[in-house]
Amino acid sequence: MKKAAISIAVTFGVAFFLFFPWKIEHYEDGGTVTYSSLTYKICVWNSLSGKRDISEIYYFPENFKNLTELNDMETLDEKEEAHVMAEDSDGYYALCRLIVATYGYVEEEDCFVSDSGPRLHNLIFDGDTEELPVIRWSEDFSLIIPHEVELGSITVLNEKGEKVLGLDSESSDGKYFSELPAGTYYVAVEIDRKGDYIEARDEYTYSVEQYAFCLKK
């Protein structure tokens, strides 16, 4: 009986030692908090430039990675599935994706190569806007920016391709579009998407993308 009690006490002691979150850290990225034990780490994400209001658990051995490494654990395929969208009370709208710049790694030559593609104003000048989705303005219109990407800017062009409004990364709720007079506009939401980390060069691949649509008021 005594031996069984000792065995139970040891088991509980080891379990407590392995699973109790001994280390709690608060980060100045907007309020992210981590709770770390020897077997797992819980991240309560609240980053101003990334994940917000999301709790995730990482098990051994990922629990020994730092916050940056955990944030970069998503694969490139997962990141490519995250797209900017628009929404209003009628539903969600897929936007036209334009790859305007890429910075990729060529393993055979051990070098980075950059490339560029057309932007929204190029499509307007060329009269090639048929593929753009047309969205009717409403007061509850807003843009959905995935946490996997970083919003750079939002540019509003008129039918001649001239810039009539430039918005920063704090304007994705769509309220600033209400300042536009009635008419037809073309909108480009530009984002930066981080790709693979190339350890040998200590550098990331990335792409710059525009999500474009036609807005009618």
Side-chain angles (χ1 to χ4, degrees):
M1 186 71 178
K2 184 177 180 180
K3 186 179 293 186
I6 294 175
S7 178
I8 293 173
V10 170
T11 300
F12 275 102
V14 171
F16 181 81
F17 181 74
L18 291 175
F19 296 104
F20 183 80
W22 297 97
K23 188 176 183 181
I24 301 176
E25 294 180 282
H26 298 262
Y27 295 84
E28 297 181 356
D29 63 343
T32 296
V33 182
T34 60
Y35 304 85
S36 303
S37 76
L38 294 178
T39 54
Y40 67 88
K41 175 181 287 187
I42 297 174
C43 288
V44 182
W45 297 96
N46 197 30
S47 172
L48 293 176
S49 60
K51 300 178 182 179
R52 293 183 63 84
D53 301 322
I54 297 174
S55 296
E56 294 178 319
I57 184 168
Y58 302 90
Y59 296 101
F60 179 87
E62 279 76 20
N63 60 310
F64 289 105
K65 293 183 177 180
N66 60 40
L67 202 66
T68 300
E69 292 172 323
L70 292 176
N71 197 36
D72 292 339
M73 278 176 58
E74 300 159 336
T75 65
L76 181 60
D77 289 339
E78 289 173 333
K79 291 180 180 179
E80 288 182 341
E81 292 177 357
H83 300 291
V84 177
M85 299 184 70
E87 69 171 331
D88 59 22
S89 57
D90 292 329
Y92 298 92
Y93 303 90
L95 308 181
C96 179
R97 182 187 184 195
L98 305 174
I99 308 296
V100 300
T102 58
Y103 186 66
Y105 177 68
V106 181
E107 186 174 2
E108 294 78 9
E109 301 179 13
D110 188 28
C111 67
F112 284 88
V113 177
S114 59
D115 197 6
S116 61
R119 294 176 178 268
L120 176 59
H121 67 266
N122 300 121
L123 300 185
I124 298 174
F125 293 153
D126 294 339
D128 190 19
T129 58
E130 297 85 359
E131 299 299 321
L132 299 180
V134 178
I135 302 175
R136 293 282 178 181
W137 161 255
S138 62
E139 290 295 335
D140 59 357
F141 171 83
S142 64
L143 296 168
I144 302 174
I145 312 297
H147 65 76
E148 294 91 341
V149 302
E150 181 177 349
L151 175 61
S153 63
I154 302 173
T155 304
V156 182
L157 309 174
N158 61 21
E159 293 182 275
K160 297 180 180 180
E162 301 168 334
K163 181 178 177 180
V164 297
L165 186 63
L167 306 175
D168 58 26
S169 59
E170 302 299 322
S171 307
S172 60
D173 58 5
K175 65 181 181 180
Y176 293 94
F177 293 111
S178 62
E179 302 173 2
L180 296 170
T184 298
Y185 301 94
Y186 294 98
V187 182
V189 183
E190 188 161 307
I191 59 98
D192 297 317
R193 188 188 301 275
K194 183 186 290 185
D196 288 331
Y197 174 66
I198 309 302
E199 186 174 1
R201 303 296 296 272
D202 190 26
E203 199 169 352
Y204 284 91
T205 62
Y206 67 85
S207 64
V208 179
E209 305 168 14
Q210 284 189 343
Y211 285 83
F213 61 97
C214 176
L215 181 68
K216 290 185 177 291
K217 289 193 69 179

